[in-house]
Amino acid sequence: MASNGVEETFAVDNVLEAMKVMRSGANENKKQAADYLSRFQKSKAAWTTTISILQSSTEAEAQLFAATTLKGKITYDLATQVPEGDHPALRGQILLLLKKYAPGPKPVRVQLCVCLAILAIQMQSWKDVLSTVVSTLGNDVTSHACILDFLRVLPEEVTEGRKITLSEEELTQRTSELLGDNAQQVVELLIVYAQSSPAAATNPQLFDCISSWLREVPVGVVVNSTLMAAVLHGMTNDNSLLAAADCLTVICRETKEVDDNRDTIALLLPKLLELRPRIQALADEGDTEGFKAITRVFAEAGESWALLVARDPQHFRPIVDCLLECCARDKDKDVLHYTFNFWYELKQYLTLEHYIEARVQLVDVFAQLVDILLKQLEYPESDDPNDVDLFDGDREAEEKFREFRHHMGDTLKDSCEVMGVSACLTKVHDAIKLWQEKFGGLATPTSVPHWQSLEAPLFAMRAMGRMVDNADSSVLPQIFPLLVQIPVSNEKLRFAAIMVFGRYTEWTAAHPEFLEPQFQYIVSSFQTDSQEILRAAAQSFKYFCTDCKTLLSEQVIQLQAFYDGILDKLPMPSKEEVTEGVAVVLGVQNPKEIYSLLKLYCDPLINRLMVKANQATDEKSKVDLADHINLLTNFAQYVVPYIPSDQENPAVKYWQEVFPILSTILDNFITFIPICERVCRCWRNMVISYRTAITPLLGPLANKLAEGFAASKQGCFLWATSAVLREFSEDREHVEEGITDNIYVFFEAQATNVLRTMSDIKPIDLPDVIEDFYRLLIDALLYYPTKLIPSPLFTPIFQAAISALSLEKQEPVSAALHYIRDLLTYGGPNPAASGDALGTAGPQLRQIVKQLLLEQGGALIKQTMAGMMFTFPSDCFADGSGVLLYMFQLLPRETAAWVESTIQMLPPGTVTPLEANRLLSKIREKLSGSDSDRRQIRILMQDFTNTYRRRYVAPRDGLGQLEATQFHFSG
């Protein structure tokens, strides 16, 4: 709108000029042009201007912009900007434009078809849509393309359109009128078209149309018609192969309910098998896209009929063989992934006792599949056995191959479940022995010939690790002695061996005789300069220390020397993994030795920490310092000796010595968020690990958390506070009452600081603080309800939570809603804290909560409904409706009034009086019924807000009366 309140004018030439600026203008001019075009698209003038551009412009880009804008206008503004009496004229203009653009350009033609489809959905008085479109566009060849486009997009827009301004009942009726009532006529139209000429019979648009209408037309109707022959013929035509394959894929998918489609499947199966020769033909021709297409067809058939394969493996075996052939002929690894879901679905059935006979009949299929996968897992061959760049520098291709191998690994696991792990491992063993026999004698300290055929079975073995029983002694005792002999000169082989050892650590823990050679292989690998080997060795080292910790406990002193010696050469993630490993071993030592061992391991870390702190002047060195603090956290997490409550905890004794150092670092780097987060994480883990044994550190820790938040305004200090609040709550053992009271006073000081911060800064700039604050409050409400609810802070905390609901980020909104839902329980008979915990204070607390809701309930309902209709992330809908349900249970009449008031605040024209009255009358009806009836109000509110959200986007100029009020706190 213009600043003087008069509707801004948008001349065609100005709009086209703005588009030119967007294409090639300077950045500052582009912003002005974008703002201009945005205002244009919202204006009433856009209707006539876009149609004028479509009628007169010769530029394809301008035509497409106009068609897209017109689509948006019909979607969002038809109901509010075009009187119902003008709808037929608009329809006529679009039909004329469709005739004009029938020859192309195709993108413009398709957009106009979408325009017409969206108009047809909303124009409920238009009953003869199909016949009008067909008769108006005519029967010439160019019009056929237009009609086919319209037929294709109509079901898509009806079933997938999300912003149509119709009620659910109206949309259901319109769907029936446009799709259900026209389905048979569409099939007849398509049959006539397919028979009209050879070109029509292989037109990709025909197959796209069939695919689209299979949502409405029973699949048996298509399979039993001449359209099926057209689809199969299309599979043999290069021009139509891809579209025909997509159509055939949809046909197979529509038969997924196999018991309802037995006759259709009986007709379809032999027709599909007639296509099998095309597999080899397309593979031999090198037609990658065609090979992908036919594989997708067989894969979809296999997935849809997996149950039938299990029921009658002999009859459906040919489909399985087709898929096996697709896998075997996939030289470029282009189609294998299309089959993965089929093998998984089939495995799910074959591993059931009911289908044991089918499993016996098809076990050979999975044996062949394993052989194919072992070959497909191989890296590309190279003339130079030492060549490490097998993808000619294409890192994307290499990463894609690695990811692909992991998916193949999942299919290997499926094969294991069908064949048995021993059978699969035997194939791995045979592949390793075959390589040794053929090439083992040719390996030298600098070269390993054909290493790819050795590395592939190692990767397969790693993938199968989860499937192996720790008690298994059939094949693995034969394999592991071979693996420790794997040549270390080839980086990929060494990496593969290390990863296998790390994958089988649980098995090794049950077979300790194999531990030492494997562990030494891992330890020696840290001497390499290869970052990839170092990362693999660190990961496997962690697994060995975790699963074999008692077996390695006698080496705890030697491990420290090793740890201290290799730490500085490792990348940061590997440092953490190795640190976690040694910390786990340290954690199983005699409690009497814990203090000295922590000093042995951690004092060198503290020395490094102080050096790094003195040298940290730029962001990189500060991040390195923050990461180094995390290493100490591992020891706090895993070195947790069991000590009676009346004795000093040796670990806490050590951390008391470290605490002043961490406090000093925090003070010096309080403005650097990563360091604040790492220090808080370390302290939080100390509280969680040692619980009430941390009492000697409690005073200084509480002070640092309070000072830290006051100085930094970072949520991590609240996150750490929640651990203190939880571990020293009133219901914990070995906690003195005075300590509990002091902890609550500390919490209130933190909460006051947060409320002041939320009063000064908008919620959008405090998402992390809000999330951590309300996670903290959930604990405070659970453990200290008798202190928090009567507190003067209770009301401003609630008001701040309502303000936080205006955010569009899932985590803070979810935290605020969880707090509100927990709070509402204290207004009823089933509070989040047990009734015993509340004692005689229960009725008083219930009254305080109800009084709060009487004062603030209107704001809560308004903001919750606004969130559900406009701003909430999808994961917050359930909690939002939960809040509404609680409110209806606690204050039914008042809540109904607040809902009515909120609906009246919605943008004009977005909800009709009929819809509003329908919702409110249903609410009143449920309120007068039983408790189960009241619970159905939640469903009513969900349906209403979901429908509204589907139909409308947030108003372009803000939410108006539904905007959240800025929170203010004067405490």
Side-chain angles (χ1 to χ4, degrees):
M1 302 291 287
S3 57
N4 61 0
V6 178
E7 180 81 23
E8 187 175 2
T9 57
F10 296 92
V12 170
D13 291 343
N14 293 341
V15 173
L16 295 177
E17 184 61 33
M19 287 185 59
K20 287 180 182 177
V21 173
M22 290 298 295
R23 271 204 308 271
S24 56
N27 285 339
E28 60 272 15
N29 294 336
K30 282 184 178 179
K31 185 177 185 313
Q32 291 180 355
D35 290 342
Y36 177 82
L37 291 175
S38 177
R39 294 197 306 275
F40 163 69
Q41 289 177 316
K42 300 170 192 174
S43 70
K44 289 184 180 180
W47 292 98
T48 54
T49 305
T50 52
I51 291 172
S52 176
I53 292 172
L54 285 164
Q55 288 171 338
S56 59
S57 177
T58 57
E59 285 190 26
E61 192 170 350
Q63 294 167 349
L64 183 58
F65 171 78
T68 305
T69 300
L70 184 59
K71 179 183 73 173
K73 297 300 292 180
I74 297 172
T75 302
Y76 299 113
D77 298 330
L78 182 71
T80 56
Q81 293 183 355
V82 181
E84 193 171 336
D86 291 344
H87 290 182
L90 177 61
R91 175 185 63 193
Q93 288 178 310
I94 297 173
L95 284 167
L96 286 174
L97 289 171
L98 271 173
K99 290 195 76 168
K100 170 181 168 66
Y101 286 95
K106 182 180 177 180
V108 179
R109 185 180 72 215
V110 170
Q111 286 298 313
L112 288 171
C113 286
V114 173
C115 288
L116 190 60
I118 299 171
L119 179 63
I121 297 168
Q122 298 184 73
M123 196 173 165
Q124 298 176 68
S125 59
W126 185 14
K127 302 299 182 181
D128 57 344
V129 172
L130 214 56
S131 57
T132 301
V133 171
V134 172
S135 62
T136 303
L137 293 178
N139 195 32
D140 55 279
V141 175
T142 55
S143 293
H144 289 168
C146 202
I147 293 170
L148 289 171
D149 276 339
F150 178 74
L151 289 178
R152 177 179 62 82
V153 302
L154 182 61
E156 294 171 1
E157 294 305 317
V158 171
T159 57
E160 296 179 6
R162 289 293 175 265
K163 305 294 180 185
I164 302 301
T165 55
L166 299 180
S167 69
E168 290 297 332
E169 293 86 351
E170 290 169 335
L171 186 57
T172 299
Q173 180 182 345
R174 202 63 182 137
T175 299
S176 175
E177 291 173 352
L178 292 173
L179 302 184
D181 296 350
N182 286 321
Q184 186 58 42
Q185 186 183 351
V186 169
V187 172
E188 292 167 1
L189 274 172
L190 295 179
I191 290 173
V192 170
Y193 174 75
Q195 295 172 345
S196 64
S197 70
T202 55
N203 184 353
Q205 282 186 287
L206 168 67
F207 305 125
D208 291 341
C209 249
I210 298 171
S211 298
S212 186
W213 277 86
L214 276 165
R215 307 159 194 249
E216 298 301 322
V217 177
V219 65
V221 171
V222 173
V223 173
N224 283 284
S225 74
T226 56
L227 290 176
M228 191 68 221
V231 174
L232 293 170
H233 177 63
M235 291 290 297
T236 65
N237 183 287
D238 291 342
N239 180 51
S240 60
L241 170 60
L242 300 185
D246 287 341
C247 182
L248 196 49
T249 299
V250 175
I251 289 172
C252 292
R253 188 181 305 136
E254 291 297 318
T255 64
K256 208 176 189 78
E257 298 296 329
V258 292
D259 290 324
D260 297 334
N261 292 284
R262 290 185 180 185
D263 295 339
T264 302
I265 293 170
L267 284 171
L268 198 50
L269 176 61
K271 296 180 188 295
L272 279 184
L273 295 179
E274 290 173 7
L275 297 173
R276 182 170 182 177
R278 292 286 284 159
I279 298 174
Q280 180 177 348
L282 291 166
D284 291 347
E285 292 167 10
D287 184 350
T288 301
E289 294 305 313
F291 189 37
K292 287 180 181 178
I294 199 163
T295 303
R296 284 201 307 271
V297 170
F298 284 114
E300 190 63 54
E303 283 182 53
S304 299
W305 305 340
L307 175 58
L308 297 179
V309 176
R311 286 179 182 174
D312 191 353
Q314 186 173 357
H315 184 64
F316 285 90
R317 171 71 180 254
I319 281 287
V320 183
D321 290 336
C322 287
L323 283 163
L324 207 56
E325 181 179 350
C326 291
C327 295
R329 295 189 182 280
D330 187 17
K331 298 184 184 67
D332 297 323
K333 302 176 176 61
D334 287 322
V335 307
L336 200 62
H337 65 282
Y338 293 126
T339 72
F340 290 159
N341 277 345
F342 165 70
W343 301 118
Y344 170 77
E345 294 290 344
L346 185 58
K347 177 267 299 186
Q348 291 289 82
Y349 289 116
L350 297 184
T351 49
L352 297 174
E353 190 66 30
H354 185 71
Y355 298 111
I356 187 67
E357 290 184 18
R359 181 177 179 179
V360 172
Q361 292 186 47
L362 294 173
V363 72
D364 67 302
V365 170
F366 281 88
Q368 294 176 64
L369 179 62
V370 171
D371 291 334
I372 292 170
L373 292 175
L374 284 174
K375 188 64 182 172
Q376 294 281 20
L377 282 169
E378 292 182 11
Y379 273 92
E381 286 284 350
S382 173
D383 295 335
D384 180 1
N386 295 320
D387 187 4
V388 293
D389 188 1
L390 303 170
F391 295 88
D392 300 323
D394 189 342
R395 288 292 156 268
E396 185 178 344
E398 183 171 5
E399 190 56 40
K400 185 179 177 182
F401 175 67
R402 288 185 176 184
E403 184 181 347
F404 179 52
R405 294 175 101 210
H406 286 289
H407 290 305
M408 280 195 276
D410 292 336
T411 302
L412 276 170
K413 293 171 196 166
D414 296 334
S415 302
C416 277
E417 290 193 60
V418 176
M419 297 170 59
V421 179
S422 294
C424 283
L425 285 175
T426 298
K427 285 186 174 290
V428 169
H429 186 213
D430 291 344
I432 295 172
K433 286 197 302 181
L434 181 63
W435 181 90
Q436 284 189 318
E437 292 167 5
K438 293 175 68 175
F439 308 114
L442 302 176
T444 69
T446 58
S447 176
V448 183
H450 297 283
W451 59 267
Q452 292 91 337
S453 57
L454 175 58
E455 191 274 346
L458 294 183
F459 182 90
M461 184 178 174
R462 170 184 161 198
M464 298 175 196
R466 184 174 60 84
M467 315 299 298
V468 175
D469 191 314
N470 292 340
D472 178 82
S473 58
S474 56
V475 185
L476 290 178
Q478 302 172 57
I479 295 181
F480 277 116
L482 300 177
L483 297 192
V484 294
Q485 301 172 39
I486 293 289
V488 297
S489 59
N490 184 284
E491 185 176 313
K492 292 203 181 309
L493 282 178
R494 191 173 194 179
F495 176 87
I498 291 169
M499 296 303 284
V500 169
F501 292 144
R503 194 65 188 83
Y504 285 80
T505 49
E506 291 183 12
W507 184 89
T508 302
H511 300 79
E513 65 272 22
F514 293 95
L515 171 61
E516 193 58 31
Q518 292 181 50
F519 193 62
Q520 287 308 313
Y521 192 98
I522 300 295
V523 168
S524 66
S525 297
F526 283 96
Q527 303 312 312
T528 184
D529 292 326
S530 164
Q531 290 297 300
E532 191 166 28
I533 295 295
L534 286 175
R535 285 193 292 268
Q539 187 183 99
S540 291
F541 179 87
K542 180 185 76 172
Y543 293 143
F544 270 101
C545 290
T546 300
D547 295 326
C548 307
K549 52 184 176 287
T550 53
L551 299 174
L552 293 170
S553 62
E554 295 179 2
Q555 301 183 36
V556 67
I557 303 299
Q558 299 94 304
L559 278 178
Q560 192 281 328
F562 161 76
Y563 172 66
D564 195 50
I566 58 96
L567 189 64
D568 292 332
K569 72 179 292 186
L570 298 177
M572 196 61 223
S574 298
K575 287 181 182 180
E576 291 201 23
E577 289 178 319
V578 172
T579 302
E580 181 181 330
V582 296
V584 169
V585 175
L586 201 58
V588 298
Q589 304 301 311
N590 189 317
K592 295 178 181 178
E593 300 173 4
I594 289 295
Y595 175 77
S596 60
L597 287 172
L598 274 173
K599 285 191 70 67
L600 178 67
Y601 273 83
C602 294
D603 278 359
L605 290 180
I606 294 295
N607 292 334
R608 285 182 175 90
L609 196 64
M610 291 190 290
V611 170
K612 289 177 183 293
N614 290 330
Q615 297 174 348
T617 55
D618 57 12
E619 182 164 350
K620 183 179 178 182
S621 57
K622 290 177 183 177
V623 169
D624 183 47
L625 172 61
D627 290 340
H628 202 77
I629 294 169
N630 256 0
L631 303 184
L632 289 173
T633 304
N634 281 293
F635 287 97
Q637 280 181 287
Y638 296 105
V639 185
V640 187
Y642 173 74
I643 305 294
S645 60
D646 58 347
Q647 296 180 22
E648 182 182 42
N649 188 305
V652 174
K653 178 183 176 183
Y654 179 73
W655 296 121
Q656 283 179 269
E657 299 173 7
V658 172
F659 186 83
I661 298 170
L662 291 177
S663 297
T664 302
I665 291 173
L666 180 65
D667 292 340
N668 291 336
F669 297 95
I670 192 66
T671 59
F672 193 70
I673 296 173
I675 288 178
C676 295
E677 290 177 342
R678 302 305 195 284
V679 171
C680 285
R681 181 172 182 267
C682 186
W683 288 344
R684 183 176 187 273
N685 276 283
M686 288 181 191
V687 174
I688 292 171
S689 293
Y690 308 114
R691 309 190 73 173
T692 53
I694 203 76
T695 299
L697 265 176
L698 201 52
L701 174 58
N703 289 336
K704 295 310 295 182
L705 292 176
E707 293 170 6
F709 181 79
S712 71
K713 304 294 187 286
Q714 291 304 315
C716 55
F717 293 95
L718 307 177
W719 182 54
T721 298
S722 68
V724 177
L725 200 68
R726 189 164 50 248
E727 296 302 333
F728 288 87
S729 62
E730 294 171 312
D731 63 346
R732 292 286 195 248
E733 295 181 357
H734 314 302
V735 179
E736 298 174 13
E737 185 176 346
I739 291 178
T740 300
D741 292 339
N742 289 336
I743 291 298
Y744 182 76
V745 170
F746 158 59
F747 155 74
E748 282 213 335
Q750 287 285 66
T752 301
N753 273 332
V754 177
L755 292 171
R756 287 171 181 159
T757 300
M758 291 182 69
S759 181
D760 296 337
I761 302 174
K762 290 183 177 180
I764 195 171
D765 298 318
L766 290 171
D768 295 338
V769 169
I770 290 171
E771 178 191 357
D772 289 320
F773 183 46
Y774 284 99
R775 300 280 179 224
L776 168 63
L777 280 162
I778 290 168
D779 286 337
L781 193 60
L782 180 63
Y783 295 113
Y784 295 87
T786 56
K787 288 184 170 69
L788 176 59
I789 293 176
S791 164
L793 295 180
F794 188 55
T795 296
I797 286 171
F798 186 71
Q799 292 170 328
I802 295 173
S803 173
L805 297 183
S806 63
L807 290 171
E808 297 181 23
K809 192 174 179 182
Q810 189 260 324
E811 293 84 358
V813 172
S814 180
L817 285 170
H818 286 178
Y819 170 73
I820 292 170
R821 291 190 68 176
D822 284 356
L823 181 153
L824 293 176
T825 65
Y826 289 88
N830 299 303
S834 67
D836 294 340
L838 300 181
T840 57
Q844 180 197 358
L845 300 184
R846 192 154 49 243
Q847 186 56 40
I848 293 172
V849 170
K850 283 199 170 184
Q851 185 58 41
L852 172 72
L853 296 178
L854 286 169
E855 296 169 1
Q856 304 293 330
L860 173 62
I861 295 299
K862 182 190 82 169
Q863 209 54 51
T864 303
M865 287 184 65
M868 292 177 69
M869 288 186 285
F870 296 112
T871 59
F872 279 179
S874 57
D875 289 344
C876 298
F877 287 0
D879 286 318
S881 65
V883 167
L884 297 177
L885 173 62
Y886 272 123
M887 288 295 292
F888 273 112
Q889 290 174 332
L890 293 175
L891 301 169
R893 287 185 295 102
E894 292 85 350
T895 303
W898 291 327
V899 168
E900 182 174 3
S901 173
T902 301
I903 291 174
Q904 291 171 357
M905 297 179 193
L906 290 170
T910 59
V911 173
T912 65
L914 179 64
E915 289 175 294
N917 291 333
R918 186 189 305 143
L919 171 67
L920 296 170
S921 64
K922 285 183 178 179
I923 288 174
R924 285 189 286 269
E925 177 186 327
K926 300 300 181 186
L927 286 177
S928 62
S930 63
D931 286 344
S932 62
D933 285 336
R934 289 192 178 188
R935 282 192 289 273
Q936 290 179 21
I937 294 176
R938 180 178 190 174
I939 298 172
L940 288 176
M941 296 302 298
Q942 281 179 325
D943 288 346
F944 176 79
T945 53
N946 284 340
T947 301
Y948 190 93
R949 192 178 182 111
R950 175 178 60 76
R951 285 158 46 178
Y952 299 105
V953 292
R956 289 159 168 165
D957 301 317
L959 299 183
Q961 297 179 69
L962 293 176
E963 288 284 1
T965 306
Q966 173 64 38
F967 168 69
H968 293 289
F969 177 64
S970 57

